[in-house]
Amino acid sequence: MSNDAIVLLKNDHKEIRRLFREFSSSGAEAHAAQASLATKIIEALTVHTYIEKETMYPEVRALLPDLEDDVLESYEEHHVADVLVAELAATTPDAERFHAKTTVLIENVTHHMDEEENDWFPKVRAGLGRKQLQDLGAKMIELQKTAPTGPAQPSALKKAIDAVIA
Ligand SMILES: [Fe+2]
Ligand SMILES: [Fe+2]
């Protein structure tokens, strides 16, 4: 298995896209299937976000100052996804907004992954050496073992979510 950080992140993206396709092609009334897919999507996104924020993003920020704007934009895109993931985790599949919320999450994250893959990961590969990307990848594999699998829900956030989905 490759240790290359970008290969590892792209593998995650592939699996996330597969879950998205499964969700999008499931029937609107397939509540049980959609609930289990939403759980898998929440878990995959929570782990992936944690790994990127703990490794790739700070490393790129420190070593490739030219990519600062890309990293900052990515943090904001992740923030939007985090909010949607937290709300989705508190929404049941029979809720009126469940399907729409998941669709918006899928659209947002797909856009973000496209930008990473096509726009700034190639610049990261050009800017960091093979060895640096492998060291980073090794850190990712290690972190994967202890990564959180669901959004933390401090009571303030929970209250905000309840207000929105009520
Ligand atoms: Fe990302
Ligand atoms: Fe990513």
Side-chain angles (χ1 to χ4, degrees), residues 15 25 69 78 95-97 105 124 126 129-130 142 158-159:
E15 170 62 10
S25 62
D69 287 350
H78 271 274
E96 187 183 48
R97 293 188 175 199
L105 175 67
V124 173
R130 202 177 130 80
E142 211 34 53
K158 174 87 173 70
K159 270 183 211 150

Side-chain angles (χ1 to χ4, degrees), residues 6 10 67 115-127:
I6 291 175
K10 280 184 168 179
L67 297 185
E115 273 193 356
E116 285 187 330
E117 289 174 16
N118 304 327
D119 189 15
W120 67 277
F121 281 179
K123 297 184 209 158
V124 173
R125 181 169 303 289

Side-chain angles (χ1 to χ4, degrees), residues 77-149:
E77 289 176 348
H78 271 274
H79 171 65
V80 172
D82 286 348
V83 170
L84 291 168
V85 162
E87 289 182 358
L88 186 60
T91 307
T92 53
D94 58 336
E96 187 183 48
R97 293 188 175 199
F98 173 81
H99 198 269
K101 202 178 283 296
T102 311
T103 302
V104 171
L105 175 67
I106 288 174
E107 286 170 356
N108 272 276
V109 173
T110 300
H111 161 84
H112 173 71
M113 293 190 299
D114 288 346
E115 273 193 356
E116 285 187 330
E117 289 174 16
N118 304 327
D119 189 15
W120 67 277
F121 281 179
K123 297 184 209 158
V124 173
R125 181 169 303 289
L128 296 184
R130 202 177 130 80
K131 170 88 173 69
Q132 272 169 316
L133 284 171
Q134 286 186 342
D135 289 348
L136 203 56
K139 265 188 224 163
M140 288 176 179
I141 291 169
E142 211 34 53
L143 272 179
Q144 198 117 28
K145 297 173 189 160
T146 52
T149 55

Side-chain angles (χ1 to χ4, degrees), residues 15-24 34-48 85 88 102 105-106 109 149:
E15 170 62 10
I16 290 165
R17 287 182 203 273
R18 190 187 66 76
L19 292 170
F20 285 177
R21 275 197 307 273
E22 251 189 80
F23 185 93
S24 301
Q34 293 201 335
S36 115
L37 280 168
T39 304
K40 287 182 193 164
I41 287 171
I42 289 165
E43 179 172 340
L45 290 180
T46 305
V47 172
H48 183 72
V85 162
L88 186 60
T102 311
L105 175 67
I106 288 174
V109 173
T149 55

